[in-house]
Amino acid sequence: MTTASAALPRTGGSSGGGAPRRTPAPAPAPGPGPGPDERIAHVVAEALGSARTVLDSDSLPGLGGARLPFGDQSFDAATMLCNAPRVSDALIRLRELRRVTRGPVVVLAVDPSRVRGFWLDRYAPAVLAVQARRHPPVAQLVAALGGSASVRRVPIPLDCTDTFDEAYYGRPELLLDPAARRPGSAWSFVDDRAREAFDTTLRRELRSGEWDERFGHLRRLPAYEGSLVIVRAAP
């Protein structure tokens, strides 16, 4: 998945020891290699609005659910990439971001209620079941942030340069490469038999044309709205 740190668009020094901000620029065309997709990062940047001092929560590794080393309302805004491994830590971190931020907190997250709507559920249901279980419900994110919150889905470009499963929505052949699946931690929670069944079934249906009969329209869809969402909460 893309990192929230890639979206920081602000200039100026750090506020109370926070992460540096970056100069805004138009979202460029994606580069030739894998990596955070700048178009998704631009959605995060837009949600930050006119904030000048922005705390990138992902630039503070190793703190887990600990209290952040900043005073109340130290930043205009904050961002966070809501990863799955420790739901309780993520919710504590969100409450801390709300405490140290006087403006919006913007979270790039996965909506677990939408995970299994992706075509991959036909071929690797155990993987998506794991993914859905490991992400906190959006309602929990909203409750942790408090204030006035909005949630909207993030369009994933057809040629997305990031490496989460939905990034390949219209390019199923690429998911047959184990290297493309490796960044998705949910794959590590299923056994070899599940991975082999995925590979065998998807290869067979690509050869027979069945995948294209069911999902071929996705090859021409410029952007896909799946489980990736932006949660923006203002005090």
Side-chain angles (χ1 to χ4, degrees):
M1 166 96 40
T2 184
T3 60
S5 58
L8 292 181
R10 307 298 178 249
T11 58
S14 62
S15 174
R21 268 75 53 195
R22 301 178 186 179
T23 304
D37 193 284
E38 292 292 340
R39 292 158 295 186
I40 295 177
H42 188 65
V43 174
V44 178
E46 285 186 330
L48 291 170
S50 60
R52 294 289 299 172
T53 56
V54 180
L55 173 62
D56 172 18
S57 173
D58 302 298
S59 69
L60 303 171
L63 290 179
R67 184 178 175 87
L68 295 177
F70 308 109
D72 294 357
Q73 300 187 348
S74 294
F75 300 90
D76 290 338
T79 64
M80 177 174 166
L81 172 65
C82 191
N83 283 322
R86 295 287 299 276
V87 171
S88 60
D89 283 355
L91 297 178
I92 293 171
R93 173 62 62 87
L94 289 177
R95 295 186 188 102
E96 276 295 284
L97 290 179
R98 178 73 284 154
R99 178 183 66 80
V100 304
T101 305
R102 52 186 171 265
V105 177
V106 176
V107 183
L108 187 62
V110 168
D111 181 347
S113 71
R114 297 184 181 274
V115 165
R116 302 198 69 170
F118 184 41
W119 61 257
L120 185 59
D121 195 57
R122 174 176 172 84
Y123 305 96
V127 171
L128 294 194
V130 168
Q131 186 175 345
R133 288 196 303 269
R134 297 184 76 229
H135 285 276
V138 170
Q140 289 187 15
L141 305 182
V142 170
L145 288 167
S148 175
S150 63
V151 180
R152 66 185 180 101
R153 295 162 82 174
V154 178
I156 302 166
L158 180 59
D159 58 349
C160 184
T161 62
D162 215 321
T163 52
F164 55 99
D165 291 336
E166 287 182 357
Y168 304 106
Y169 72 87
R171 301 171 295 166
E173 293 82 3
L174 297 183
L175 265 182
L176 292 170
D177 181 356
R181 302 194 301 269
R182 195 170 297 125
S185 60
W187 288 92
S188 66
F189 286 83
V190 299
D191 57 22
D192 289 342
R193 183 164 50 182
R195 287 189 287 268
E196 289 167 4
F198 156 77
D199 187 274
T200 299
T201 307
L202 181 56
R203 287 184 188 276
R204 182 179 67 244
E205 293 198 359
L206 285 170
R207 285 195 301 268
S208 70
E210 186 169 353
W211 188 94
D212 281 279
E213 288 179 9
R214 292 177 178 273
F215 310 111
H217 64 283
L218 296 175
R219 294 189 187 274
R220 302 177 297 277
L221 189 68
Y224 174 74
E225 293 189 353
S227 64
L228 190 63
V229 297
I230 282 278
V231 180
R232 184 184 189 274

